[in-house]
Amino acid sequence: MNALTRLERFEDMFPEVFRRFARPLQWSEATPGEIKIDVTENDKEYLVRAEIPGAKKDDIRVTVDGNFVSISAEVRQEKEDKSDGGRVLVKETYYGSASRGFSLASEIDDKAVVAKLEDGVLKLTLPKRASAAAKAISIQ
């Protein structure tokens, strides 16, 4: 049994570990169709910054249900490189849908939500719903 055979048997026991180390590091942009988010909070509201490159205002849908926020979009990305003579040598196109949902600690006042799209970045202002004071229940 040579060293390579022993390594193959070891890899059979832990295949995913070896696959992760074998992949080159990726320092590229987000995968097409992936929505990356940043969420910050203050006393009154949550602020969400969602990167949705290739999506237009009319193609984005935001829903709020209690403390759950859902963002979905139809994404179109096209990149085309041409050379002399107008022949297309490389064309990278993506069309599809992307979605992201997350829960927050407090319920959202869905009537006061503000959404703005600038340069492929969706900015949401999600005001926290005023919590009702706890009510003591008398026992009969």
Side-chain angles (χ1 to χ4, degrees):
M1 179 182 290
N2 64 27
L4 183 58
T5 306
R6 279 183 265 152
L7 181 60
E8 287 173 355
R9 285 187 178 181
F10 188 72
E11 184 186 85
D12 289 342
M13 292 180 356
F14 305 101
E16 188 59 30
V17 173
F18 284 98
R19 281 191 208 109
R20 286 184 185 165
F21 285 115
R23 288 185 201 134
L25 292 176
Q26 296 180 354
W27 298 101
S28 62
E29 297 177 11
T31 307
E34 180 181 353
I35 299 175
K36 291 189 172 188
I37 63 169
D38 296 327
V39 181
T40 57
E41 171 187 26
N42 60 39
D43 293 339
K44 297 179 181 179
E45 62 196 8
Y46 294 100
L47 302 171
V48 178
R49 182 181 181 278
E51 294 180 1
I52 315 174
K56 296 179 182 170
K57 179 175 124 175
D58 295 335
D59 297 333
I60 299 174
R61 183 169 180 230
V62 178
T63 59
V64 175
D65 184 12
N67 69 333
F68 188 78
V69 179
S70 176
I71 303 170
S72 59
E74 291 294 319
V75 181
R76 292 176 191 87
Q77 290 183 341
E78 292 189 30
K79 179 181 177 182
E80 190 172 300
D81 292 333
K82 288 188 178 183
S83 181
D84 295 333
R87 283 187 355 192
V88 176
L89 297 178
V90 177
K91 184 173 182 178
E92 296 175 348
T93 304
Y94 175 82
Y95 177 79
S97 60
S99 62
R100 183 78 186 260
F102 52 94
S103 295
L104 299 167
S106 301
E107 292 211 359
I108 304 302
D109 181 2
D110 56 353
K111 293 182 179 24
V113 171
V114 177
K116 295 179 183 178
L117 181 67
E118 297 173 359
D119 299 325
V121 177
L122 177 66
K123 295 179 181 179
L124 298 175
T125 303
L126 306 169
K128 295 178 182 178
R129 182 173 287 156
S131 58
K135 180 180 175 185
I137 307 296
S138 62
I139 300 174
Q140 299 180 0

